[in-house]
Amino acid sequence: MHFRIAHVYGHHRRAATFEDPASARLGEGLYAFLVRTVAGQFREAWSFEARRRAGNRLVGYLAIQASLLLAIALVSIRALLFMVVAAVIAVALLESFNYVAHYGLSRHVTNGRAERLGPQHSWNSAKRMNNAALFNMGRHSDHHRLTTRSYERLEPLSGAPALPSGYAAALLTALVPPLWRRLMDPRVEAVTAGPTGGASGFDQLS
């Protein structure tokens, strides 16, 4: 449940920078990313909540999750195992989407400040069925441009880089890191190529 905090207060501010645990770096494999992003987003959410005057919501979230697991365990250990496995798959799928959505794309940094997040910092897909199945999240750049816009109103943006396939195929490809890198690394370099001398958010913030 920490995701709702880390995503809104962390990812939407820091996407495509080295500081964002939910943005995959160029050359980073999916499995290494999954470990880094889950742990990093939890730490980030806890840090945000620790500074809230209204109290730490994560304490309540953890209590809810622990109570749910305990209640299921009292009914059936097999049901508990099923719940845990389903949760692991769901989290892995969600974070794999994050992996694909920003892989290798980074914001340039000038004098320690990252450039404004733009359409060029998210991977998009124009596949009709892909967007129908994922509530238009193939229009990911618009999701970051207007974070409160409802999913059915998301629009394709000019200048937004496109995946060579839909998100579903991209997720399957990412399961094989060497294949993913062979397919995507040249595309990342083509998108991020620009005037020499600039430094990306992944370079200067590392």
Side-chain angles (χ1 to χ4, degrees):
M1 294 176 73
H2 66 277
F3 180 85
R4 70 185 298 265
I5 298 169
H7 185 77
V8 173
Y9 298 104
H11 180 62
H12 274 279
R13 290 173 49 218
R14 301 173 180 170
T17 70
F18 192 87
E19 293 181 333
D20 179 33
S23 293
R25 303 159 187 172
L26 181 64
E28 183 176 27
L30 172 62
Y31 306 107
F33 170 79
L34 290 177
V35 174
R36 180 176 67 84
T37 192
V38 172
Q41 287 185 76
F42 185 88
R43 286 195 302 268
E44 189 174 56
W46 187 272
S47 177
F48 291 144
E49 290 300 295
R51 297 194 297 268
R52 283 183 81 241
R53 294 181 180 178
N56 191 329
R57 289 173 292 182
L58 274 183
V59 174
Y61 292 168
L62 291 173
I64 291 171
Q65 291 172 316
S67 298
L68 175 62
L69 292 176
L70 178 60
I72 295 174
L74 292 174
V75 174
S76 167
I77 295 299
R78 290 179 64 185
L80 176 64
L81 291 175
F82 177 84
M83 183 72 172
V84 171
V85 170
V88 169
I89 293 173
V91 170
L93 182 59
L94 173 64
E95 298 300 350
S96 295
F97 180 95
N98 268 347
Y99 175 82
V100 169
H102 298 281
Y103 174 78
L105 301 177
S106 57
R107 294 149 70 181
H108 287 273
V109 173
T110 305
N111 297 325
R113 292 180 62 87
E115 66 176 309
R116 186 173 182 175
L117 189 67
Q120 71 275 21
H121 299 125
S122 304
W123 291 105
N124 294 259
S125 173
K127 304 292 185 181
R128 184 172 300 178
M129 288 302 298
N130 182 88
N131 282 313
L134 293 174
F135 304 100
N136 272 341
M137 287 309 290
R139 298 171 177 178
H140 203 67
S141 291
D142 197 33
H143 168 66
H144 275 281
R145 182 174 70 102
L146 296 169
T147 58
T148 59
R149 172 169 282 182
S150 57
Y151 70 88
E152 74 276 6
R153 297 177 58 204
L154 293 175
E155 301 174 352
L157 298 182
S158 175
L163 291 167
S165 63
Y167 264 92
L171 290 173
L172 291 175
T173 306
L175 295 174
V176 187
L179 178 60
W180 171 258
R181 290 198 60 189
R182 188 181 311 157
L183 180 69
M184 291 300 298
D185 285 12
R187 288 174 166 81
V188 172
E189 293 171 5
V191 170
T192 57
T196 59
S200 73
F202 287 166
D203 293 333
Q204 280 200 355
L205 295 176
S206 59

